[in-house]
Amino acid sequence: MKLKLKNVFLAYFLVSIAGLLYALVQLGQPCDCLPPLRAAAEQLRQKDLRISQLQADLRRPPPAPAQPPEPEALPTIYVVTPTYARLVQKAELVRLSQTLSLVPRLHWLLVEDAESPTPLVSGLLAASGLLFTHLAVLTPKAQRLREGEPGWVRPRGVEQRNRALDWLRGGGGAVGGEKDPPPPGTRGVVYFADDDNTYSRELFEEMRWTRGVSVWPVGLVGGLRFEGPRVQDGRVVGFHTAWEPNRPFPLDMAGFAVALPLLLAKPNAQFDAAAPRGHLESSLLSHLVDPKDLEPRAANCTRVLVWHTRTEKPKMKQEEQLQRQGRGSDPAVEV
Ligand SMILES: *[C@@H]1O[C@H](CO)[C@@H](O)[C@H](O)[C@H]1NC(C)=O
């Protein structure tokens, strides 16, 4: 019995040693768990690579965004505005100047119908923040509206618009603001913007790249919802107007713009104060362009971006009554 126990013990010992040896041998052996480990390591390597790529991307300066051209590269828009003293003058000029403030690269040529600059207009221009040239020229007596004459009998603002053309051509004589005319070779466009119309800021971008004479419709004019060129296949083929359609250019003053180089190349082109009613625009344009070469803008003349609004003349009945009693509104307050 004793011997048997000893044998069992021996067998147990041997089996244990064999197990231990087997385990020791197995430790040094490659095992079939390696391929998945390799795949995991490869994945990690790929991720590291991607991270360092992304880090490099982050360090790189961002690409320049698609930006509008630098303002210096834009042609200048010369806006010519004749103006005359009246009760609503300041209101009209404030409204217009604040519209013009929304337009980059714009130069306002404000021409007073006056012998010399008035403090109201000088002050308004100085406060406007706009690049401007202040001009003044009195309309000759023979051309002035007589008391009681309706406004359409004589064209208004002729002398003033011609004064602005003269300044652009180097005529000098500015009474305020920028005194030097555009240097030779200046890229620009000239637009005649009366102080009573309403202008969309979009209109100015439509005219900026005018090559010769560009045109578009004008709203609320000529007794119509709008007047303007008729366009076919991108060319002007006629005009939508009810009144004297046979005028060479049945266009409103607010309905066209002229490239500055073209105006400078035609030194005789100006407005004719003696032009018959409705022919003032034609008197300038017939020096400059053939109607078929007009450049339609504002989506082939299908969008109205300027309106011929008229400000009502304010009634001053109470003011006059108070003035007779010596109690009128303080004249020191500018209106
Ligand atoms: C104007 O019309 C022409 C010819 O039909 C067309 O090619 C062009 O795209 C139009 N322009 C605009 C701004 O609609």
Side-chain angles (χ1 to χ4, degrees), residues 149-214:
E149 254 180 353
W152 49 261
V153 172
R154 273 158 226 287
R156 275 227 189 93
V158 177
E159 211 65 28
Q160 289 72 34
R161 295 187 194 97
N162 284 339
R163 184 74 195 76
L165 291 178
D166 188 47
W167 180 82
L168 285 168
R169 290 168 174 146
V175 294
E178 176 61 51
K179 300 261 171 62
D180 294 330
T186 299
R187 286 193 304 168
V189 59
V190 180
Y191 180 52
F192 300 96
D194 289 352
D195 61 7
D196 51 354
N197 293 334
T198 303
Y199 304 90
S200 164
R201 64 197 292 183
E202 286 179 81
L203 177 66
F204 299 94
E205 299 318 317
E206 293 289 335
M207 72 178 73
R208 194 183 293 279
W209 299 92
T210 299
R211 292 184 302 270
V213 177
S214 57

Side-chain angles (χ1 to χ4, degrees), residues 21-234:
L21 278 174
Y22 179 75
L24 282 173
V25 165
Q26 281 299 308
L27 267 180
Q29 292 292 315
C31 74
D32 58 359
C33 56
L34 256 183
L37 266 179
R38 277 222 185 89
E42 179 58 19
Q43 257 184 9
L44 270 177
R45 210 181 59 79
Q46 295 279 351
K47 288 221 157 70
D48 273 355
L49 206 67
R50 182 84 192 108
I51 285 169
S52 50
Q53 271 171 3
L54 287 173
Q55 278 173 338
D57 285 353
L58 276 177
R59 276 193 298 271
R60 217 172 289 140
Q67 271 170 348
E70 286 293 302
E72 292 72 44
L74 293 177
T76 300
I77 300 174
Y78 293 91
V79 174
V80 174
T81 303
T83 187
Y84 66 101
R86 63 207 191 274
L87 274 170
V88 298
Q89 184 183 30
K90 187 174 185 183
E92 304 279 44
L93 291 177
V94 163
R95 189 167 55 132
L96 178 54
S97 69
Q98 292 185 359
T99 299
L100 300 183
S101 304
L102 300 170
V103 183
R105 199 82 170 153
L106 182 143
H107 187 140
W108 197 16
L109 308 184
L110 190 55
V111 197
E112 286 196 74
D113 186 350
E115 216 157 339
S116 50
T118 63
L120 185 148
V121 172
S122 301
L124 185 138
L125 282 171
S128 72
L130 290 163
L131 174 61
F132 70 88
T133 294
H134 189 177
L135 299 155
V137 60
L138 193 65
T139 302
K141 229 184 178 114
Q143 283 174 33
R144 272 215 296 266
L145 274 183
R146 321 255 151 83
E147 191 68 35
E149 254 180 353
W152 49 261
V153 172
R154 273 158 226 287
R156 275 227 189 93
V158 177
E159 211 65 28
Q160 289 72 34
R161 295 187 194 97
N162 284 339
R163 184 74 195 76
L165 291 178
D166 188 47
W167 180 82
L168 285 168
R169 290 168 174 146
V175 294
E178 176 61 51
K179 300 261 171 62
D180 294 330
T186 299
R187 286 193 304 168
V189 59
V190 180
Y191 180 52
F192 300 96
D194 289 352
D195 61 7
D196 51 354
N197 293 334
T198 303
Y199 304 90
S200 164
R201 64 197 292 183
E202 286 179 81
L203 177 66
F204 299 94
E205 299 318 317
E206 293 289 335
M207 72 178 73
R208 194 183 293 279
W209 299 92
T210 299
R211 292 184 302 270
V213 177
S214 57
V215 289
W216 48 81
V218 177
L220 314 178
V221 70
L224 296 174
R225 289 176 62 239
F226 68 90
E227 270 186 359
R230 286 193 296 110
V231 176
Q232 245 169 42
D233 301 326

